[in-house]
Amino acid sequence: APRPDFPETFTLQDAISQGDRVVTLDGDDGETYSSVASPQSAQDPQGLTYVQIVALPLDEADRIVATYVAVYTTVALVTILLAALLTRGLVTLTFRRLGQVESTAMAIAAGDFSQRLTDLEPTTEVGRLNSAINTMLDRVDRSLAQRDRTVQNMRRFIGDASHELRTPLVSV
């Protein structure tokens, strides 16, 4: 099995000075190992103390971290995409009525004064806007009708006056 490259000499003083600090070791096959050294007492009557170094490969931990990053990134991207689509749908749905107001206003600007806005909801801003535009259009219609009546009366008066003036002039 592949093994890490342990140091040639590692004294008891080195183990005590490092404490529980983790040291990274390279392996024979290019793998990376995480190791820790600690002083251990022997169970013999002489009470010898030796240094024990435990090393574990980091490949499995690296794979777990890479898998976590990949899963987290995928979930984050999917969540952002779904949130963007949901936001677009809600905004489109919300402003749909404003699109109807716009198309009606464009028809009125083109000269079709008979257009009126429907879906009056006085509790919403768009509903109040629809009501205000309909009121304005009713007033414009009344003003245009009154102007047309005034023009017709003026034409009738001018026609009558010219006829009344023409008859005595012809007699004279």
Side-chain angles (χ1 to χ4, degrees):
R3 294 178 38 138
D5 291 331
F6 289 108
E8 292 292 326
T9 57
F10 202 83
T11 64
L12 184 58
Q13 284 302 94
D14 293 337
I16 293 172
S17 67
Q18 279 192 351
D20 289 337
R21 190 167 21 125
V22 176
V23 178
T24 304
L25 299 175
D26 294 326
D28 298 344
D29 57 350
E31 282 191 61
T32 307
Y33 292 84
S34 180
S35 68
V36 67
S38 65
Q40 299 291 322
S41 298
Q43 297 296 331
D44 60 7
Q46 297 172 348
L48 295 175
T49 303
Y50 63 93
V51 175
Q52 180 181 22
I53 300 176
V54 177
L56 295 172
L58 293 177
D59 288 345
E60 184 177 350
D62 290 342
R63 277 193 299 272
I64 291 170
V65 169
T67 301
Y68 171 76
V69 168
V71 168
Y72 180 77
T73 302
T74 303
V75 168
L77 289 175
V78 167
T79 302
I80 290 170
L81 182 64
L82 286 176
L85 290 174
L86 182 65
T87 301
R88 178 172 171 79
L90 287 174
V91 168
T92 302
L93 183 65
T94 302
F95 288 122
R96 180 178 44 117
R97 289 197 174 116
L98 283 178
Q100 293 170 347
V101 172
E102 177 189 11
S103 63
T104 303
M106 293 302 289
I108 293 167
D112 184 8
F113 293 108
S114 66
Q115 292 287 322
R116 292 296 181 268
L117 296 167
T118 58
D119 297 335
L120 297 177
E121 295 179 24
T123 58
T124 65
E125 291 176 354
V126 175
R128 290 189 295 271
L129 176 66
N130 288 352
S131 178
I133 289 175
N134 284 341
T135 303
M136 179 184 68
L137 288 173
D138 289 339
R139 288 180 183 170
V140 167
D141 273 349
R142 283 194 303 268
S143 296
L144 288 175
Q146 185 175 356
R147 184 194 71 175
D148 289 345
R149 281 192 305 273
T150 303
V151 167
Q152 286 176 353
N153 288 340
M154 182 73 83
R155 285 183 183 158
R156 190 174 332 122
F157 172 76
I158 291 173
D160 289 347
S162 69
H163 177 68
E164 293 296 325
L165 289 174
R166 199 177 315 139
T167 306
L169 288 174
V170 170
S171 312
V172 172

